[in-house]
Amino acid sequence: MGFDLSRRALVGASAVTGMALAAPRAVAAMDGGPLFALVPRPTHIFRTKDHSHENTESWIFSLAVQTLAPVALTPAALRVDLLKAGKVMRRTEYPADGFGPMTYHTGFPPLLADGGTSPTPIFWPFAIRLRDTVPAALGVDAVQVHVEATDAGGVRGWSDIVLPLETYVQKTALVFPFAGKGIVLQGGATNGGHRNRSGAFALDAMGLDDAAWGVQRGDGKANTDYPGFGRTLIAPADGVVVHARSDRPDQPVGDASNPDYFAEEFKAQGGGDPGNHVVIDHGNGEFSMIAHFMAGSLRVKAGARVRQGEALGKLGHSGDTNAPHVHYQLQAGPDWQNADALPVHFSNVDQAFLDRGTYFEARAGA
Ligand SMILES: [Zn+2]
């Protein structure tokens, strides 16, 4: 929920181990103009089938405009080419007025490359949010992005990048982190709402009343009015807990997420607090992150070995959230903010794709 809109998490994402630093590629300094590189987050662009019946596929990612000095750059022009075997299948061009609204400014914190092991700072004057839904029959296999930007003196530079569109093959057979009826609040590439690098395919889901699929009882002003509150959250697959936090309180139910209940480090960045949460290493490069556990309910610590279906704690309302729900994301590393996001599918849910507004019933057992 509110957790999802953190831009700061995206900024932090550049200070990550293994990131190739900023050798600006395919950069031409038009008129001796500014030099910048384009860096995708997540680093892989995965296409997913979407929820419609139109046989379309979708993708979503951010592209950081990266420099080696804290220069101000203004978006000037953007061109996005969808490629099939190197041939342009569709071209979209944005003049400055159309480009600007697709960008967001990350400020100029000097970001250290390679997880801080390199002393060379990098800077992200702005980032671009790119998403698309196309007919699968178009056969798009790469996205080529051309960006032009001007510096403070009005001098224009440009950079290009070609990003292959990949299809992710999930290695772990996962069950949904709770059993029973639920509804997806947001999720997937088509309408995710989670902007950070690790959450591109994250799901938020509420538990529903077993008889009537209802979302709440009574006036909905107490956490206990929500049928999902207190539901057992389970390990989606076997693994080892590599990170656990259990000291956060539940929020009372309000009209919106209340920052007073965020941990200090998330107050400073205006949101993004997962509250009580765990990260489980499945041992094959895939990691499950589960968040917003009920205060005091988490029963595993870092180092614990867990089995699929084992109770981890209870669905709660801790962190940056505006109603009791669970946040789940599959990621390619242990760090829930700096690992690449992975598309996810659950073996005990009928729907192949869980999209915003999807009612589902997770069967007990795999
Ligand atoms: Zn979420």
Side-chain angles (χ1 to χ4, degrees):
M1 308 241 295
F3 169 4
D4 311 323
L5 300 172
S6 169
R7 290 172 175 177
R8 185 87 43 168
L10 180 73
V11 173
S14 77
V16 75
T17 304
M19 194 191 89
L21 167 64
R25 52 181 141 174
V27 169
M30 203 183 278
D31 305 323
L35 293 177
F36 58 89
L38 302 173
V39 179
R41 286 290 179 271
T43 52
H44 292 266
I45 315 305
F46 293 119
R47 68 179 109 205
T48 58
K49 301 276 188 195
D50 62 41
H51 188 60
S52 78
H53 299 277
E54 298 284 345
N55 195 19
T56 53
E57 54 191 15
S58 301
W59 56 86
I60 190 165
F61 63 101
S62 289
L63 199 55
V65 170
Q66 182 171 296
T67 60
L68 296 174
V71 294
L73 290 177
T74 303
L78 169 69
R79 186 172 67 235
V80 179
D81 287 328
L82 306 186
L83 308 180
K84 177 184 180 182
K87 194 171 146 209
V88 176
M89 304 301 285
R90 194 179 82 191
R91 167 165 292 185
T92 312
E93 291 188 284
Y94 303 79
D97 287 349
F99 182 13
M102 299 177 64
T103 67
Y104 55 99
H105 287 265
T106 55
F108 290 111
L111 307 166
L112 292 180
D114 298 331
T117 57
S118 162
T120 310
I122 54 174
F123 301 86
W124 291 10
F126 64 90
I128 310 159
R129 192 77 171 150
L130 290 164
R131 58 185 286 178
D132 224 326
T133 296
V134 301
L138 209 54
V140 175
D141 57 25
V143 180
Q144 178 169 270
V145 186
H146 171 87
V147 172
E148 297 183 20
T150 51
D151 66 16
V155 181
R156 186 180 289 224
W158 60 268
S159 186
D160 277 307
I161 192 168
V162 177
L163 300 161
L165 278 181
E166 302 175 53
T167 301
Y168 189 70
V169 180
Q170 188 174 315
K171 302 186 192 86
T172 314
L174 298 164
V175 296
F176 197 81
F178 65 66
K181 296 186 171 85
I183 185 169
V184 177
L185 303 175
Q186 49 188 11
T190 48
N191 53 25
H194 296 88
R195 300 182 70 104
N196 59 312
R197 173 179 181 171
S198 305
F201 303 101
L203 292 158
D204 290 324
M206 296 180 82
L208 298 178
D209 174 66
D210 206 37
W213 297 80
V215 71
Q216 72 182 54
R217 306 177 271 253
D219 60 12
K221 294 205 166 121
N223 282 321
T224 48
D225 286 343
Y226 293 83
F229 187 71
R231 188 173 297 186
T232 301
L233 294 179
I234 59 177
D238 295 357
V240 175
V241 175
V242 291
H243 179 72
R245 179 164 194 174
S246 60
D247 64 334
R248 304 306 306 154
D250 285 313
Q251 291 206 25
V253 174
D255 293 332
S257 182
N258 185 342
D260 291 347
Y261 290 85
F262 298 175
E264 287 307 317
E265 62 269 34
F266 294 102
K267 280 180 186 164
Q269 65 184 48
D273 186 351
N276 303 313
H277 64 282
V278 295
V279 177
I280 299 170
D281 180 356
H282 297 303
N284 54 9
E286 293 182 338
F287 297 72
S288 284
M289 186 270 200
I290 305 167
H292 307 307
F293 281 87
M294 179 192 286
S297 75
L298 198 63
R299 44 164 104 173
V300 293
K301 291 190 166 74
R305 185 166 289 280
V306 295
R307 307 293 296 182
Q308 185 176 64
E310 180 178 332
L312 303 172
K314 294 178 176 175
L315 187 149
H317 197 200
S318 61
D320 184 359
T321 156
N322 55 22
H325 78 286
V326 64
H327 170 105
Y328 175 85
Q329 65 189 37
L330 187 65
Q331 57 194 46
D335 182 336
W336 68 268
Q337 295 189 90
N338 292 324
D340 273 346
L342 300 173
V344 61
H345 169 258
F346 300 101
S347 59
N348 65 335
V349 170
D350 286 340
Q351 290 90 338
F353 312 104
L354 292 175
D355 222 345
R356 186 190 298 260
T358 304
Y359 288 87
F360 64 92
E361 181 162 12
R363 293 179 294 276

